[in-house]
C-alpha cells in the first residue's frame, strides 16, 4: 500500500514498513533517521524540478506539484520525529521523568523523550517498544552517531539543532578516535570508512567552519572516492561546511 513505511502517529518511517524486521519481539524498527529525511527531501526536490520542466503542461504541472508537496510534508514529519526520538540532548526537568521539556538558548521548547538513565546523544535503533544505542552492521559507537547525520544535504540545517550538535561533537570525536585505535582490519576504522568526513561536517554545524574546512582538506583523497565516504564527495563536503553559519553568527 502507499506510504506503507509511514507511522502517521509518531511521524517517522519504519525500515521494513508494515512488518518488524526478523519478526523482532520489539516490533518495527528504524535505524537512520537522517537517511529517511534525505529520501523525502529528494522527492520534494524531484517534484520541484518537474514543476520547472512542466510549466507549459497544466496536467503534468499539477502532478509535479503534488509530488513536491508530498515530499515536503513527509520531510517535515521525519525532521520533527528525528528531533523527538533520535536526538537526545539537554538537561531534564526531573531526573527520572520522561518527555521532559528543555529550554534552549533560542527559547524554543525541546522535548527530551528519554529518562536520565539514557546517557547517549542519539538513539541508534528505535523500535516500537525499545530504543537502543546500536546498529545492525557495526559495533563502533561512531557508527550509531554517524548514521543520524548522513547524508549532509541542505535539510540538515532544519534537522540538526545547534545545541545538540555542540553536545554531540566532542562525543563523536572521541568515538572516532577510539574506533581508529582498532586492530587488524579495524585499524583506522573511522577515517577509512568515511566517518571522519561526517566529523568534519558536524564540526561545521557547531559553528567552527574554518576548523572544519581544514579537517576536511586533511582527509585522504582516497576516502572521498571510496564507499566509505558515505556518499560525500570532497566537493559536497566543502560546500556543506562552507555554507554553515560561523560561531559568531550562531550567537546572534
Amino acid at each position: 500500500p502507499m506510504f506503507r513505511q509511514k507511522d502517521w502517529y509518531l511521524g517517522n518511517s519504519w525500515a521494513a514498513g508494515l512488518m518488524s524486521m526478523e519478526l523482532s519481539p520489539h516490533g518495527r524498527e528504524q535505524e537512520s533517521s537522517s537517511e529517511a529525511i534525505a529520501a523525502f527531501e529528494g522527492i520534494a526536490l524531484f517534484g520541484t524540478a518537474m514543476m520547472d520542466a512542466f510549466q507549459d503542461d497544466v496536467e503534468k504541472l499539477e502532478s509535479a506539484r503534488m509530488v513536491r508537496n508530498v515530499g515536503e510534508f513527509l520531510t517535515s514529519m521525519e525532521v520533527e520525529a528525528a528531533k523527538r526520538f533520535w536526538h537526545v540532548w539537554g538537561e531534564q526537568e526531573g531526573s527520572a521523568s520522561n518527555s521532559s521539556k528543555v529550554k534552549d538558548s533560542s527559547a524554543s521548547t525541546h522535548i527530551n523523550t528519554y529518562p536520565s538513565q539514557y546517557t547517549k546523544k542519539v538513539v541508534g535503533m528505535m523500535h516500537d517498544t525499545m530504543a537502543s544505542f546500536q546498529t545492525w552492521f557495526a559495533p563502533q559507537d561512531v557508527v550509531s552517531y554517524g548514521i543520524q547525520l548522513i547524508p549532509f544535504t541542505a535539510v540538515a540545517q532544519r534537522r540538526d539543532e545547534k545545541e545538540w550538535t555542540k553536545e554531540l561533537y566532542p562525543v563523536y570525536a572521541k568515538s572516532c578516535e577510539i574506533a581508529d585505535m582498532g586492530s587488524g582490519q579495524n585499524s583506522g576504522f573511522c577515517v577509512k570508512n568515511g566517518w571522519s568526513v561526517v566529523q568534519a561536517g558536524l564540526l561545521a554545524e557547531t559553528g567552527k567552519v574554518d576548523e572544519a574546512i581544514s579537517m576536511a582538506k586533511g582527509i585522504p583523497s582516497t576516502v572521498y572516492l571510496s564507499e566509505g565516504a558515505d556518499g560525500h564527495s570532497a566537493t559536497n563536503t566543502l560546500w556543506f561546511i562552507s555554507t554553515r553559519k560561523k560561531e559568531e553568527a550562531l550567537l546572534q
Side-chain angles (χ1 to χ4, degrees):
M2 188 178 296
F3 305 125
R4 69 179 185 85
Q5 87 293 343
K6 194 67 184 172
D7 190 315
W8 295 104
Y9 180 73
L10 297 178
N12 61 278
S13 295
W14 296 112
L18 299 175
M19 302 295 293
S20 65
M21 294 185 68
E22 301 179 354
L23 298 178
S24 167
H26 301 294
R28 297 166 296 177
E29 67 86 26
Q30 175 79 331
E31 275 189 331
S32 176
S33 59
S34 54
E35 289 179 348
I37 292 168
F40 298 123
E41 179 191 21
I43 292 174
L45 292 172
F46 174 73
T48 300
M50 290 301 98
M51 286 179 65
D52 291 339
F54 297 138
Q55 287 294 323
D56 298 327
D57 188 319
V58 175
E59 184 176 350
K60 289 183 178 180
L61 178 61
E62 287 308 305
S63 295
R65 192 189 314 277
M66 183 176 296
V67 171
R68 181 204 64 181
N69 291 348
V70 168
E72 290 182 347
F73 179 58
L74 294 177
T75 299
S76 296
M77 291 189 71
E78 294 286 343
V79 166
E80 293 306 312
K83 292 179 178 180
R84 180 68 186 268
F85 300 113
W86 277 267
H87 298 183
V88 186
W89 62 274
E91 297 296 328
Q92 294 183 318
E93 297 176 358
S95 59
S97 61
N98 286 328
S99 299
S100 300
K101 293 184 178 180
V102 180
K103 289 289 186 178
D104 65 26
S105 58
S106 62
S108 64
T109 301
H110 169 68
I111 303 297
N112 195 339
T113 300
Y114 303 100
S116 58
Q117 288 83 355
Y118 189 89
T119 59
K120 301 295 186 180
K121 297 300 179 183
V122 306
V123 167
M125 296 173 64
M126 190 178 83
H127 294 73
D128 277 317
T129 61
M130 180 181 73
S132 63
F133 184 74
Q134 63 183 39
T135 70
W136 286 111
F137 59 94
Q140 291 84 356
D141 285 4
V142 70
V143 177
S144 291
Y145 292 126
I147 61 170
Q148 309 311 328
L149 295 165
I150 58 172
F152 281 125
T153 62
V155 77
Q157 190 157 321
R158 292 170 52 195
R159 181 192 72 201
D160 300 338
E161 311 96 323
K162 62 180 181 292
E163 291 83 2
W164 176 64
T165 63
K166 288 182 177 180
E167 290 192 17
L168 176 60
Y169 180 77
V171 179
Y172 187 103
K174 184 63 176 178
S175 68
C176 191
E177 179 184 339
I178 292 173
D180 276 342
M181 294 167 59
S183 59
Q185 290 185 339
N186 285 329
S187 177
F189 176 90
C190 189
V191 173
K192 288 191 300 185
N193 289 276
W195 301 108
S196 55
V197 178
V198 181
Q199 182 179 344
L202 178 60
L203 180 59
E205 289 192 301
T206 71
K208 297 185 182 299
V209 174
D210 294 335
E211 293 91 329
I213 289 175
S214 296
M215 181 182 294
K217 288 183 175 180
I219 296 171
S221 59
T222 53
V223 172
Y224 289 108
L225 298 174
S226 70
E227 294 180 357
D230 302 310
H232 296 109
S233 65
T235 302
N236 177 70
T237 301
L238 291 172
W239 164 82
F240 180 82
I241 291 172
S242 63
T243 54
R244 299 310 94 191
K245 293 182 179 179
K246 291 191 176 183
E247 195 165 29
E248 56 269 22
L250 290 175
L251 295 175
Q252 296 176 358

